[in-house]
Every structure is written in C-alpha cells, then in structure tokens.
Amino acid sequence: MTRALAVTPIHLPAEEIRRRQARYDRLAPPGLSVELRDVGPAAPGALDDEASIRASEREVAAALARAGDGFDLAFPDCVLDPAVPDGPAAGRGVPVNGLLKLSSMHLSAKNIRFGAVVRNEAIGAELGRRLKAYGLDGYVAGIAVLELPFGAIADTAAWNAALGAAVDALAAAGAAAVINGCSAVDVEEDRLKARVIDPTALALRLMTIGGSA
C-alpha cells in the first residue's frame, strides 16, 4: 500500500476537511491511501488574490517539510501545485507531486490540447504561470474564469451550472479536454463539447502503477 499525504492550500473548517477526505477515500485507486491534513491557521482562508496565493505557497511548503516519516509521497490538495518544484526536486525527503503537474503532463504526453476552468482571475493567472513553468503553455487552448464565490467549491450544483458555457467556449478554441481548476469539486460532463478532466482523480491514478486517463 502506497501512503500519500495531502495538505490543504488554505485553512479549512473540520467539516470541509471531512468532505474532502471522503472524496479522496472514494477516488483513491486500489493500492493508494490518502491522508488529508489541514495546512494550519497561518494560511489564508481562500485564494482570492496573489498575496493569498503566495501565503498559501509558503504555508504548504512548511507543512510538507513537517511531513516526517510514514508517507511514500505527498502533494498539495490544490490544482495550483503550491510548493511543488517546477523541475526535479533536490535533496532528500518525501517526494512531492502536483495534481496539475501530473494531469497536465499526462495530457500533453498524449498530444492532447487542453484548456482549464478556474474560480477567479487570481487563480487563473497562477494556473497559467504554472503551466508555462512546466513548459506546457503550447498545449493550452485557454483558461476560462467562472467568477464563482469560495462557497461554490462545496456546492456541486452551482459549480456545474457555471461549467457548461465555459467548457464549450474552450472546445471552440481547440481544447479536446478541459482541466477542472479545483481539486475538491465533482464535475458532470453531460452534453459538454470537451472532456472535463478531474485533476485529482487523474493524478491519483497516475500515482499508482498503470494509471491512465
């Protein structure tokens, strides 16, 4: 059994930790167990601007450094990959994976042009920066901003209601797949013009031998 530690990018209440942990329990493939931990009270409560994104990155890095023994790998519970190295990680310790890094590199390796949907402008800008740092901007058809409040992350119906037009617009721009730019949302693909990729589900499969989209 491979044991993975996931660290939230923001400080969350206990009920949201439980919801996200249940999602990991449901999505984790056989042979992988995921333990989700809150990043801590020093982290922001939402990612709404660049300052909160940078603060999240610092706190996630500190939490990952405190991971200790008992885990085979770790990753941030966030599609922005805070504290995930752009290239190979130096030094020793628990290997750190990224949900965006794994899922986007998998798509690009299959020569799939993709887009992404995100909750707000700040997250969109950071996701675009990350994809460029990974050398993948040539595969990106666009990033659509849904302009949703933080509460929509736990509201599957609200998120999916905003998803359709954005996915269809990205498909018209050449995206064969669209990465859902939140690690904690369940998406519905019914009647959409491009395949919606759950980066968490895909990355978890890629963390185990034989994972595929």
Side-chain angles (χ1 to χ4, degrees):
M1 176 69 71
T2 299
R3 293 196 62 212
L5 170 67
V7 175
T8 66
I10 56 177
H11 182 44
L12 292 171
E15 61 269 23
E16 178 63 6
I17 293 289
R18 287 192 293 269
R19 185 190 76 84
R20 295 187 183 206
Q21 180 65 66
R23 187 167 188 269
Y24 277 116
D25 294 343
R26 186 175 76 250
L27 292 178
L32 177 68
S33 68
V34 179
E35 179 182 327
L36 178 65
R37 293 181 182 175
D38 185 69
V39 65
L47 302 179
D48 288 331
D49 51 33
E50 186 175 357
S52 61
I53 289 171
R54 298 281 79 82
S56 168
E57 194 168 48
R58 291 191 298 271
E59 294 304 317
V60 170
L64 290 172
R66 296 192 299 267
D69 298 328
F71 294 99
D72 301 295
L73 58 92
F75 62 92
D77 173 45
C78 181
V79 78
L80 295 182
D81 289 356
V84 175
D86 294 341
R92 293 178 295 178
V94 178
V96 176
N97 291 328
L99 301 179
L100 179 64
K101 190 174 188 180
L102 284 169
S103 56
S104 61
M105 288 190 169
H106 179 74
L107 292 172
S108 64
K110 296 179 72 173
N111 204 31
I112 295 174
R113 188 166 168 79
F114 60 90
V117 294
V118 295
R119 186 173 66 82
N120 62 30
E121 291 281 357
I123 293 171
E126 180 68 6
L127 190 140
R129 186 195 72 78
R130 268 296 188 179
L131 290 171
K132 185 174 183 179
Y134 294 151
L136 302 179
D137 49 325
Y139 289 91
V140 180
I143 297 173
V145 178
L146 300 180
E147 297 291 358
L148 290 172
F150 177 74
I153 293 173
D155 188 339
T156 300
W159 189 281
N160 281 278
L163 196 62
V167 171
D168 291 348
L170 289 167
V178 174
I179 295 174
N180 189 55
C182 182
S183 66
V185 174
D186 291 316
V187 295
E188 301 162 358
E189 298 186 50
D190 190 33
R191 296 185 298 278
L192 298 180
K193 295 179 180 178
R195 182 182 181 190
V196 179
I197 301 296
D198 180 335
T200 304
L202 175 53
L204 291 179
R205 293 197 296 273
L206 293 172
M207 290 177 198
T208 62
I209 296 173
S212 62

